[in-house]
Amino acid sequence: MLSTSEINGKWKEYRLSNKNGISVSVLDYGGIITKLMVPDKNGNLENVVLGFKDYQEYESNPFYFGAIIGRVAGRIQGASFSIEDKAYHLEANNNANHLHGGPKGFHQVIWNVYPFENEDAVGLTLTHTSADGDRGYPGNVDVSVTYTLNNHNQLILDYAASSDQTTPLTLTNHSYFNLSGNAKENITNHYVKMDSSKFAELDHTLIPTGKLIDVTGTPFDFRKYQKIGTGFNSSFEQNSLVGNGYDHYFIFDHASEHQVIVDEPHSGRIMKVKTNQPGMVMYTANNMAEGYVLLEGTTKKYQGVCFETQGLPASLHHPGFPSILLMPGKKYKKQTVFTLNIINE
């Protein structure tokens, strides 16, 4: 089922619902997921993502709640890069670095929206053209992001793009998940299992050094279920330098059907993540400023966790990481599937 409402006289919010009671609400502004309603083991329908109570807050959206991120998700060192010996300079918005596409990135544009509905699924295709020179990036880039909610409780995000010049591009969605429902608890007791044996080491400015660290014997080893809060009180340097938690890029081994599984035992909710991206930033809201009013409660440290499936911008400065360069004539085509299960006791 699909419904639409006007927001603040300038945006539209689309609500997609399946036959099992799950629904997702998406703005044309930033492609922002504002709500994701999922039943718990007792059938209680609750929101499992963080979102602002006052939608005007999305105009600045300092936490990038729920948004499409681009052209490049993550930090670009020194807000600059070179392609074929030509230097490109971007806007610095994270100390000396360029973060999440910069000011007025994809999270702050109004996308064209094309809804669709069939027997088993309902969805939206969002499109946007980023002109040559936009935020300092080369090339005219045509982007589409499709959100599909089906009756198998899968929220599917399909990303597609093309460019007329070689340009860096890696897109993601920046939803903060909290499977306890309505942010009743923080994420400390969420269990995470991840198909990853290496992560990118960060320096004190949160820029990858170019080195990969083996997860064995560290709080980054999620190859078996581990509480996400394990890293919050750890003395391991990589946890402490990001504010006592995680804000790191994990390289997927792609040895399992699902790259991430998240289990919140109290609610009975389990979320499985499957993607063809090479890795993911897991961010545990270590540096979330307090006091912003949400749909449920106010912002606090560790109130949500992002699973930012994407390429790694550090590939622009360090060899050995998968490239994020999109060549003219080539298609960018990525998919991430969030499967929402409920364990009934």
Side-chain angles (χ1 to χ4, degrees), residues 32-44:
I32 293 167
I33 294 175
T34 57
K35 289 187 282 290
L36 178 56
M37 305 297 291
V38 180
D40 69 3
K41 64 187 179 185
N42 299 313
N44 299 310

Side-chain angles (χ1 to χ4, degrees), residues 122-139:
V122 60
L124 308 167
T125 295
L126 292 79
T127 66
H128 174 65
T129 297
S130 178
D132 181 28
D134 184 14
R135 310 300 110 198
Y137 289 98

Side-chain angles (χ1 to χ4, degrees), residues 58 63 101 108 134 142 144 151 177 182 217 244 262 272 315 332:
Y58 286 118
F63 310 115
Q108 290 178 315
D134 184 14
D142 292 317
S144 75
N151 289 325
F177 293 93
N182 292 346
N244 301 309
V262 190
K272 298 179 179 180
S315 62
Y332 177 91

Side-chain angles (χ1 to χ4, degrees), residues 34 46 63 88 120 132 144 152 168 190 216 234 238 270 311 313 316 323:
T34 57
E46 295 174 313
F63 310 115
Y88 294 90
D120 190 53
D132 181 28
S144 75
H152 305 288
H190 283 46
T216 305
S234 167
Q238 283 294 303
I270 293 178
L316 294 170
S323 174

Side-chain angles (χ1 to χ4, degrees), residues 74 81 130 133-134 139 154 177 213 228 232 245 256 264 306 316 320 336:
F81 59 89
S130 178
D134 184 14
Q154 293 176 320
F177 293 93
I213 297 179
I228 205 169
F232 296 173
S256 304
E264 204 288 304
C306 300
L316 294 170
T336 298

Side-chain angles (χ1 to χ4, degrees), residues 152-154 192-196 222-223 225 252-262 270-277 280 309 336-341:
H152 305 288
N153 296 347
Q154 293 176 320
V192 171
K193 185 179 180 183
M194 195 188 307
D195 177 24
S196 173
F222 290 95
R223 290 173 296 183
Y225 277 111
F252 290 139
D253 296 336
H254 284 287
S256 304
E257 180 184 0
H258 294 95
Q259 281 61 62
V260 185
I261 303 176
V262 190
I270 293 178
M271 184 173 74
K272 298 179 179 180
V273 185
K274 183 177 182 177
T275 186
N276 60 357
Q277 290 278 17
M280 173 192 77
T309 55
T336 298
V337 181
F338 299 95
T339 303
L340 301 152
N341 295 326

Side-chain angles (χ1 to χ4, degrees), residues 72-77 170 249 310-318 324:
V72 172
R75 293 175 177 85
I76 296 180
Q77 180 179 348
T170 185
Y249 188 85
Q310 60 176 87
L312 183 58
S315 62
L316 294 170
H317 296 95
H318 296 285
I324 62 166

